[in-house]
Amino acid sequence: MKQAKVIAEIGCNHKGDMEIAKELIKVAKIFCNADVVKFQKRNNKELLTEEQYNAPHPNPANSYGDTYGEHREYLEFDLEQNRELKEYCKELGITYSTSTWDLTSAKEIASLEPELIKIPSACNNNYEMLGWLCDNYNGEIHASTGMTTKDEIEELVAFFEAKRRNKDLVLYNCTSGYPVPFEDVCLLEITRLKENYGNRVKEIGFSGHHLGIAIDIAAYTLGATWIERHYTLDRTWKGTDHAASLEPEGIRKLVRNLKATQKALNYKEKDILDIEAFQREKLKNKK
């Protein structure tokens, strides 16, 4: 079975601080052995209405500004900062990626030519952005399917097929909650995605917002070859996503366990394995 790739989603867990962002990248590579780190890019004036921009943060304790718009701007890295982060990733040998939330952000990040761009669940029906990426960006496009109906998923895949970009599309099972209780993870949706789209898209992934790492192993055994988890240095930090994130030890164990599972997912090459031969001779009833 193909080895899973692990995306450590930094998102906005850097708290608007480039040094923290770089530390997250370094730890993800050197300690965690993750394959990809992922940030987020928003043009907040484009993405939010004036009312939303000027409204207070729904959870003031997590806010980095007096309004939701100010909070989002505080956490935003500009294009040159993203370029610097991509170069830092290259130096360390880990793949840089970003989720784009609007057309302007997609154009900016595409100019950096990353290997992949992620489309969050909230934006998988932004066909203006998706169409521009299909026409102008040559890398992989990964899309989550949280809060998305089955008909909307079919529409999304059909759109990529019409653009002849479906073989660059990675489709993720996802439940949009922070954190998600186990009964709402709905892992068998991976099986449905594989049955319906396994031959139509490049790969199937899993983006989890649950607690712990057991569920991710199950997702892999069901066929998800990309595993994405939110990642932070400290789950007690101020911010919305930290509590639903894994700390470095969690990402490290996840990568380790996925590699062990990949080795174990095979058939016996012969009836009696070499490791069993001595035990068979010693213990097997010969009657």
Side-chain angles (χ1 to χ4, degrees):
M1 189 167 175
K2 183 176 180 179
Q3 179 61 55
K5 290 188 177 181
V6 174
I7 300 177
E9 181 177 0
I10 295 169
C12 299
N13 284 347
H14 48 71
K15 302 197 292 183
D17 187 317
M18 283 288 286
E19 292 309 309
I20 293 176
K22 289 183 177 181
E23 182 67 14
L24 281 158
I25 293 170
K26 182 170 69 174
V27 172
K29 169 60 180 179
I30 296 173
F31 180 76
C32 303
N33 299 309
D35 300 287
V36 181
V37 289
K38 185 168 73 67
F39 294 90
Q40 296 180 9
K41 189 78 180 77
R42 292 172 170 86
N43 182 303
N44 295 300
K45 291 289 180 70
E46 179 178 336
L47 187 63
L48 301 171
T49 66
E50 184 176 354
E51 182 180 4
Q52 290 171 328
Y53 193 96
N54 293 318
H57 191 288
N59 186 348
N62 283 325
S63 184
Y64 286 90
D66 292 335
T67 68
Y68 185 70
E70 290 179 8
H71 162 77
R72 290 254 54 104
E73 300 289 10
Y74 185 92
L75 296 173
E76 194 66 34
F77 288 149
D78 63 25
L79 179 58
E80 291 309 309
Q81 288 174 306
N82 274 277
R83 190 187 309 277
E84 183 178 342
L85 293 172
K86 183 173 182 287
E87 285 302 312
Y88 188 66
C89 287
K90 184 178 179 180
E91 289 175 21
L92 293 180
I94 190 169
T95 299
Y96 160 93
S97 181
T98 305
S99 293
T100 61
W101 286 68
D102 53 79
L103 179 59
T104 298
S105 297
K107 290 179 177 180
E108 289 181 346
I109 296 301
S111 73
L112 300 178
E113 300 182 340
E115 292 182 24
L116 66 97
I117 286 176
K118 181 77 184 297
I119 307 301
S121 297
C123 306
N124 64 21
N125 61 347
N126 184 341
Y127 285 102
E128 182 183 18
M129 177 174 69
L130 293 173
W132 188 92
L133 285 170
C134 285
D135 293 340
N136 297 280
Y137 169 67
N138 294 324
E140 291 181 357
I141 301 173
H142 294 212
S144 279
T145 60
M147 49 187 171
T148 304
T149 68
K150 293 179 177 64
D151 287 345
E152 288 169 339
I153 295 172
E154 173 59 34
E155 181 182 356
L156 175 66
V157 175
F159 179 85
F160 275 80
E161 288 174 328
K163 290 285 190 178
R164 299 189 177 182
R165 293 299 306 275
N166 53 301
K167 290 301 183 177
D168 295 317
L169 176 64
V170 178
L171 205 59
Y172 286 69
N173 175 40
C174 177
T175 298
S176 297
Y178 306 90
V180 175
F182 295 130
E183 60 270 22
D184 289 334
V185 174
C186 303
L187 275 181
L188 291 181
E189 286 299 311
I190 294 171
T191 303
R192 191 185 65 79
L193 290 175
K194 280 185 64 67
E195 289 173 351
N196 290 346
Y197 304 110
N199 294 325
R200 296 171 63 185
V201 303
K202 185 169 186 176
E203 293 179 65
I204 302 299
F206 173 67
S207 179
H209 304 123
H210 52 281
L211 301 178
I213 58 175
I215 299 302
D216 307 276
I217 307 303
Y220 174 59
T221 64
L222 289 171
T225 52
W226 289 83
I227 304 295
E228 177 185 76
R229 293 298 305 272
H230 283 263
Y231 156 63
T232 183
L233 295 178
D234 188 338
R235 294 180 68 247
T236 68
W237 275 353
K238 174 182 174 179
T240 306
D241 291 341
H242 295 286
S245 300
L246 293 176
E247 291 180 344
E249 186 64 30
I251 297 289
R252 180 183 174 93
K253 288 180 177 179
L254 172 59
V255 172
R256 178 199 66 189
N257 292 354
L258 284 167
K259 288 180 178 178
T261 303
Q262 191 268 339
K263 291 180 179 179
L265 282 172
N266 54 24
Y267 294 99
K268 281 191 171 184
E269 60 185 16
K270 53 187 176 180
D271 287 345
I272 308 300
L273 296 175
D274 292 345
I275 196 173
E276 297 178 303
F278 175 78
Q279 303 301 332
R280 177 182 171 89
E281 182 63 27
K282 177 182 176 182
L283 301 174
K284 192 80 169 180
N285 190 330
K286 297 181 176 60
K287 291 182 179 180

